[in-house]
Amino acid sequence: AQSVTQLGSHVSVSEGALVLLRCNYSSSVPPYLFWYVQYPNQGLQLLLKYTSAATLVKGINGFEAEFKKSETSFHLTKPSAHMSDAAEYFCAGRLQGGSEKLVFGKGTKLTVNP
Amino acid sequence: GAVVSQHPSWVICKSGTSVKIECRSLDFQATTMFWYRQFPKQSLMLMATSNEGSKATYEQGVEKDKFLINHASLTLSTLTVTSAHPEDSSFYICSTPWTSGTQRNHEQYFGPGTRLTVT
């Protein structure tokens, strides 16, 4: 079954430290991949997307992600964490078959410590 | 970016009653709408896909008679939770892919969600 896996349900970093949130997908063909952020009791906001163009994707709020086909990964990074980055992050993929359905990872809660 | 609204943002209802949740695309035509349910500290689970003017397609395990979806116009889709029970308490979110004619940007735009509490 096509799936998106996020490694680590909780990640804690210090303010100013590197943020790394991991995401792997299962598919024989590169899909469309997305990272979303969700603040409490809110909907999802798109951080960035991969759509078969540049493998290094830059998004909003200083986030970026690199698509690595050999590793079937799409990890999200930010060089320096800010307190406002504390939120839930979801990796999602629009996989094979032409459907616009998204498959979501289980989410990673990012905590930023002062 | 495109704007999708949901109403109400928060609703409390008694067990056995029905609740309608509206999802509107405010600045583009939403031919397809996805409805998700999210339990606390969990990911989004797709419930159903609705296309304007046709019957919704439900994911396996989702009761179509309990979760009624209507997508009668290109800007409005509704989800009605019928005979709600406490186990239906959840965060319901809609999303729609952006389209303009035949153009697509491969993005989905999410509503802000509706918190349903059934007492």
Side-chain angles (χ1 to χ4, degrees):
Chain A
Q2 296 171 346
S3 65
V4 171
T5 303
Q6 290 181 243
L7 300 177
S9 58
H10 288 85
V11 170
S12 183
V13 300
S14 298
E15 190 174 18
L18 171 70
V19 175
L20 171 60
L21 304 182
R22 300 177 186 273
C23 174
N24 289 86
Y25 66 94
S26 69
S27 175
S28 61
V29 176
Y32 296 117
L33 291 164
F34 308 85
W35 275 100
Y36 288 92
V37 62
Q38 184 181 35
Y39 296 97
N41 293 309
Q42 294 187 28
L44 275 66
Q45 181 183 10
L46 180 68
L47 284 175
L48 48 80
K49 65 179 179 182
Y50 168 77
T51 57
S52 303
T55 57
L56 182 62
V57 181
K58 294 187 182 297
I60 62 171
N61 301 338
F63 285 94
E64 63 181 38
E66 185 172 8
F67 174 77
K68 291 186 176 180
K69 183 178 179 180
S70 61
E71 299 177 7
T72 60
S73 69
F74 190 57
H75 301 331
L76 181 71
T77 60
K78 181 173 180 177
S80 176
H82 192 272
M83 297 296 290
S84 61
D85 294 327
E88 188 87 23
Y89 291 80
F90 292 97
C91 182
R94 197 186 115 192
L95 303 177
Q96 296 182 43
S99 169
E100 300 206 50
K101 292 182 184 179
L102 292 180
V103 175
F104 283 88
K106 292 188 175 182
T108 299
K109 183 175 181 178
L110 175 65
T111 300
V112 181
N113 301 307
Chain B
V3 178
V4 177
S5 69
Q6 274 185 249
H7 177 79
S9 57
W10 186 37
V11 58
I12 301 175
C13 71
K14 293 186 177 181
S15 186
T17 61
S18 296
V19 173
K20 179 185 284 188
I21 301 170
E22 294 184 347
C23 180
R24 293 181 186 274
S25 62
L26 300 183
D27 53 2
F28 68 100
Q29 294 182 334
T31 55
T32 300
M33 194 73 77
F34 297 104
W35 285 94
Y36 297 87
R37 179 166 54 181
Q38 185 181 31
F39 291 109
K41 302 186 188 303
Q42 294 188 26
S43 188
L44 281 72
M45 298 218 35
L46 181 64
M47 299 174 65
T49 304
S50 71
N51 291 294
E52 186 265 339
S54 62
K55 290 185 178 180
T57 303
Y58 291 82
E59 296 300 303
Q60 191 173 10
V62 178
E63 301 174 60
K64 62 180 182 180
D65 295 329
K66 181 172 186 59
F67 298 100
L68 301 179
I69 291 174
N70 183 280
H71 194 160
S73 80
L74 288 171
T75 58
L76 174 64
S77 177
T78 61
L79 167 67
T80 301
V81 183
T82 63
S83 187
H85 288 93
E87 57 266 30
D88 299 323
S89 298
S90 187
F91 194 55
Y92 292 87
I93 305 175
C94 63
S95 77
T96 180
W98 183 88
T99 60
S100 178
T102 58
Q103 290 185 327
R104 300 177 185 276
N105 66 1
H106 307 295
E107 293 181 23
Q108 284 195 27
Y109 296 92
F110 286 80
T114 297
R115 174 73 59 193
L116 170 63
T117 301
V118 185
T119 60

